[in-house]
């Protein structure tokens, strides 16, 4: 199941660099003007059940503060639910258009999510003269208002507002019941593995940008290898280092051993330490000792090269970053080759080594060889 929230119709295939490819598939720009603006509050692409579009409305959130009568509150809810249903039908039409070239008969199911409205209140609203009647019947093709109400997700189906983190067995049971009612009909035979991948690539691939509100300045959405390298470089430029990281860099000891779980800043410190050695005139060898450390080794090596190229103060006196990739786990002769290469470089007295190891266990002999080469 692939879920996207707050996807604006105009954000679909809007990256200029993909304009040529995007021109070959249906676009929202090819629809009538009233369909070009709007968004999917929630778009679910399920491998077995097909596509579900959902409209989320916070109606009833401030009901107590507004001091409205029951009749006025129901009339307001009915009005806003009616607008939500119109948007839901619009979203359905957009999905059908955007997938018409690959799945013209793809079932698109719809639902309303009303987290601040109880099912009993929705029932009362449907029974009142101000209910949105005909529009309500359009929710997933429900036959009557009661059936339509069952296809909506109300506060009764969710966790308590006061303790949203407490997902009880009762809540899970209600959510399962709601899912079965909405995605009725069992497995969708129209949706195949190939079609599922096609739809995920279209709505969630690099050609589609999702804009969301962010309290802090937004960062680049990383989807390709090039974007990953660029983002890493940007983060290194605006680094906020911990006291332990600063201590390691300021001490500038000839040997630095780093260990820790993912995300603790080992790679950052290795890159910064490598840059110090390069600026001191040393050649820095990035040594990957097994296949599991290849990605980190390439990343460190590229960052060292990219930073040197971007530095206006680069001179010929700077050292050179070099990349050595071995597999000590599968090929014991690689240890000898690595020691020979590093020993020859050491004779020039320009050697510093960044050794990258994975978290997997290695033999005691291999570990001893690595430590010996580092000490040398």
């Amino acid at each position: 199941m692939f879920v996207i929230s707050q996807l604006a119709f105009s954000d679909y295939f809007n990256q200029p660099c993909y304009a040529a490819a995007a021109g070959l598939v249906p676009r929202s720009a090819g629809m009538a003007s009233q369909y070009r603006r709007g968004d999917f509050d929630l778009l679910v692409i399920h491998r077995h059940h097909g596509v579900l579009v959902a409209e989320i409305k916070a109606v009833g959130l401030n009901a107590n503060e507004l001091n409205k009568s029951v009749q006025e509150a129901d009339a307001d809810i009915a009005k806003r639910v009616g607008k939500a249903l119109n948007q839901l039908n619009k979203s359905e039409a957009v999905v059908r258009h955007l997938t018409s070239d690959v799945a013209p008969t793809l079932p698109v199911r719809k639902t309303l999510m009303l987290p601040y409205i109880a099912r009993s209140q929705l029932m009362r609203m449907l029974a009142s003269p101000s209910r949105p009647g005909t529009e309500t019947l359009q929710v997933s093709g429900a036959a009557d208002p009661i059936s339509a109400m069952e296809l909506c997700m109300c506060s009764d189906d969710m966790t308590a507002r006061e303790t949203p983190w407490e997902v009880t067995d009762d809540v899970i049971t209600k959510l399962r019941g709601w899912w079965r009612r909405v995605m009725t009909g069992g497995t969708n035979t129209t949706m195949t593995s190939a079609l599922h991948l096609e739809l995920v690539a279209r709505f969630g691939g690099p050609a589609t940008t999702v804009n969301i509100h962010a309290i802090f300045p937004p960062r680049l959405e990383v989807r390709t290898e090039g974007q990953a390298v660029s983002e890493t470089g940007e983060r290194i430029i605006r680094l906020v280092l911990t006291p332990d990281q600063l201590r390691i860099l300021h001490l500038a000891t000839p040997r630095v051993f780093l260990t820790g779980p993912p995300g603790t800043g080992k790679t950052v410190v290795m890159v910064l330490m490598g840059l110090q050695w390069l600026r001191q005139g040393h050649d820095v060898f990035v040594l990957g000792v097994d296949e599991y450390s290849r990605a980190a080794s390439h990343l460190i090596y590229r960052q060292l090269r990219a930073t040197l190229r971007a530095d206006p103060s680069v001179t010929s006196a700077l050292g050179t970053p070099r990349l050595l990739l071995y597999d000590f786990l599968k090929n014991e002769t690689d240890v000898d080759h690595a020691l020979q290469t590093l020993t020859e470089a050491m004779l020039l007295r320009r050697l510093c080594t960044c050794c990258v190891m994975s978290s997997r266990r290695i033999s005691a002999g291999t570990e001893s060889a690595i430590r010996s080469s580092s000490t040398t």
Side-chain angles (χ1 to χ4, degrees), residues 51-104:
V51 174
L52 171 69
V53 290
E55 190 72 13
I56 305 172
K57 289 299 177 185
V59 293
L61 175 60
N62 302 318
N64 295 331
E65 300 175 7
L66 297 177
N67 295 321
K68 290 184 177 181
S69 65
V70 174
Q71 291 76 16
E72 291 175 330
D74 286 350
D76 181 59
I77 292 172
K79 180 180 179 180
R80 298 183 65 181
V81 167
K83 290 182 178 179
L85 289 168
N86 287 332
Q87 176 62 28
L88 198 57
N89 293 328
K90 179 180 177 180
S91 298
E92 178 193 16
V94 171
V95 170
R96 292 190 184 281
H97 172 73
L98 298 182
T99 60
S100 59
D101 61 323
V102 290

Side-chain angles (χ1 to χ4, degrees), residues 324-343:
L324 301 177
L325 299 177
Y326 296 103
D327 194 340
F328 290 179
L329 293 173
K330 296 180 179 179
N331 192 350
E332 288 292 339
T333 61
D334 277 2
V335 178
D336 297 330
H337 293 160
L339 285 173
Q340 181 180 355
T341 301
L342 296 177
T343 301

Side-chain angles (χ1 to χ4, degrees), residues 17 22 46 53 62 151 175 181 198 238 240 265 304 332 352:
C17 58
H46 198 283
V53 290
N62 302 318
L151 297 177
L175 287 175
R181 291 193 300 271
E198 175 75 22
R238 56 175 186 268
V240 177
L304 293 175
E332 288 292 339
C352 289

